[in-house]
Amino acid sequence: MQNALAAADYPERVLVACSGGPDSLALAAVAGYFARRGHVDGHPLSVAGVVVDHQLQDGSAEVASRTAAVLRELGLSPVQVRTVEVAATGFGPEAAARDARHAALEDAADDLGCDRILLGHTLDDQAEQVLLGLARGSGTRSLAGMRPARGRLLRPFLGLRREDTLEICEVEELQPWHDPSNSDSAFARSRTRVEVMPVLEEKLGPGVAESLARTAAILQQDADFLEDLANETYLSMVQRTDDGAWLPEDAVRGLPAALRFRVIAKAAADVGGQQPGYGRLQAAEALLRRQGSAGPVELPGHVSVYRLSLSDLEQERAASGGPGSAASATSGPREAARCGKLVFRHQKSPQQ
């Protein structure tokens, strides 16, 4: 906890997110220790708490109320209970609950004037995240797992095992709530936790979780470097229009594959889309090969991407009476390659 707060430049006010489970309750206990002291390494600190009630289980309001009372006893102040509605999405119930929870945490941090939000994720959570990413065929960003710090979020316990948080609760004489969904085989993460990880530890020997977490730490550095480079590259290329954006076809084609896919994904996000999967990115990238269709390729979030060649651009100029069409007609292959565009446009859904 001291290291996490020091790395965050000693925020004066933090918010602990607590479900009542062992991990977040142990986090609240440690944060409460510093709250009662009123400082960390001589830097003033006050600690608030929030319990998010997802209303997904019978008795959830009672669990939230009981957890809030424990947080107050630990010295956190003020403590709020936030009730959320988990809307159905196309990304599954776990993702929908996470989105609702994070929105509630951000709102609570704003209302209480907190600089940072503390989450109780452990090394075991990180290992499960990486394993799920491998099973789904995810890229570097997903395999890099959860970050110790991201925006306002801090995860001080990413270096601790789940058994450590159970021990903290035992020493502090706390009775954590065990969420039944954590052992529900209907959820992929629960199956990974209850069924897959124990088998890996048994067959491959101890230390699998630590190795997976170490993989995430290594890949975070690689992902950060590629992300920064892709962002710089994208900003140097993109041309925004009233109804979307476009990229120069020849410049995108000339990028290394790792950057090319990331730049295409950034363009899709820039016009209001969602992160495309690898298959959709491959389909969009194939437009650059000038083989077969020029599009459109549909990307998640109602984004269409298609290729406009020099002849298409000439027709557009002629139709609009724009300047330069005559000069373009005499241009050679080099000019054609330079003038081609990869166009991204957001198409509103029928509901919108």
Side-chain angles (χ1 to χ4, degrees):
M1 180 70 75
Q2 282 177 299
N3 291 341
L5 295 175
D9 295 325
Y10 295 105
E12 292 188 11
R13 189 163 182 78
V14 300
L15 178 68
V16 173
C18 185
S19 67
D23 300 342
S24 60
L25 198 57
L27 180 75
V30 175
Y33 166 77
F34 291 106
R36 294 189 298 273
R37 295 178 69 190
H39 71 90
V40 176
D41 298 331
H43 297 268
L45 177 71
S46 61
V47 184
V50 63
V51 184
V52 178
D53 177 10
H54 300 83
Q55 304 184 91
L56 296 177
Q57 298 169 350
D58 292 337
S60 63
E62 182 184 348
V63 170
S65 177
R66 188 168 59 246
T67 300
V70 173
L71 297 187
R72 294 184 185 101
E73 292 175 3
L74 290 170
L76 279 62
S77 179
V79 175
Q80 294 184 349
V81 174
R82 296 259 173 161
T83 302
V84 298
E85 298 283 346
V86 178
T89 69
F91 298 95
E94 290 175 288
R98 183 179 62 249
D99 290 344
R101 179 171 60 254
H102 278 245
L105 295 178
E106 291 287 345
D107 288 343
D110 289 338
D111 292 346
L112 299 174
C114 295
D115 307 305
R116 294 290 188 272
I117 302 169
L118 307 187
L119 304 178
H121 296 112
T122 65
L123 184 147
D124 294 85
D125 295 311
Q126 185 77 298
E128 292 158 9
Q129 183 89 351
V130 174
L131 196 58
L132 284 169
L134 285 169
R136 292 165 178 162
S138 302
T140 309
R141 173 57 64 199
S142 178
L143 297 182
M146 296 174 286
R147 297 175 174 278
R150 182 177 182 182
R152 278 203 283 196
L153 303 180
L154 292 182
R155 297 182 173 93
F157 281 7
L158 273 186
L160 297 185
R161 296 299 304 267
R162 192 165 289 134
E163 62 193 33
D164 296 322
T165 65
L166 289 168
E167 185 177 356
I168 291 171
C169 290
E170 182 180 353
V171 169
E172 295 293 324
E173 298 181 348
L174 300 172
Q175 299 297 320
W177 171 66
H178 294 277
D179 186 347
S181 68
N182 287 336
S183 56
D184 187 346
S185 61
F187 301 108
R189 182 175 289 277
S190 299
R191 293 195 300 273
T192 302
R193 175 177 301 173
V194 176
E195 301 174 16
V196 179
M197 287 299 297
V199 172
L200 290 178
E201 293 277 357
E202 177 188 350
K203 300 299 183 182
L204 301 180
V208 170
E210 287 87 351
S211 296
L212 288 169
R214 186 166 57 250
T215 297
I218 294 169
L219 287 176
Q220 279 175 11
Q221 300 175 37
D222 296 347
D224 286 344
F225 173 76
L226 286 170
E227 181 70 15
D228 290 343
L229 190 56
N231 194 52
E232 292 175 6
T233 304
Y234 174 69
L235 292 177
S236 70
M237 289 182 175
V238 65
Q239 299 291 327
R240 294 183 176 88
T241 62
D242 291 340
D243 58 352
W246 61 269
L247 300 169
E249 178 190 2
D250 192 47
V252 178
R253 188 190 297 111
L255 293 173
L259 283 181
R260 190 161 60 244
F261 282 101
R262 283 173 168 81
V263 165
I264 292 172
K266 284 186 175 297
D270 197 12
V271 299
Q274 299 164 356
Q275 175 63 36
Y278 185 62
R280 289 289 81 198
L281 280 176
Q282 280 186 310
E285 190 263 352
L287 297 174
L288 299 168
R289 300 179 200 146
R290 291 180 170 268
Q291 296 174 351
S293 171
V297 170
E298 302 302 326
L299 300 180
H302 308 288
V303 170
S304 294
V305 54
Y306 55 91
R307 188 187 74 239
L308 279 179
S309 65
L310 178 62
S311 60
D312 297 323
L313 294 172
E314 288 173 345
Q315 291 175 11
E316 280 193 354
R317 291 192 189 101
S320 63
S325 55
S328 298
T330 60
S331 301
R334 182 182 299 274
E335 181 69 10
R338 186 166 65 249
C339 288
K341 294 180 179 181
L342 202 59
V343 181
F344 297 78
R345 285 181 176 158
H346 188 274
Q347 310 293 331
K348 287 188 176 182
S349 67
Q351 291 81 4
Q352 289 173 312

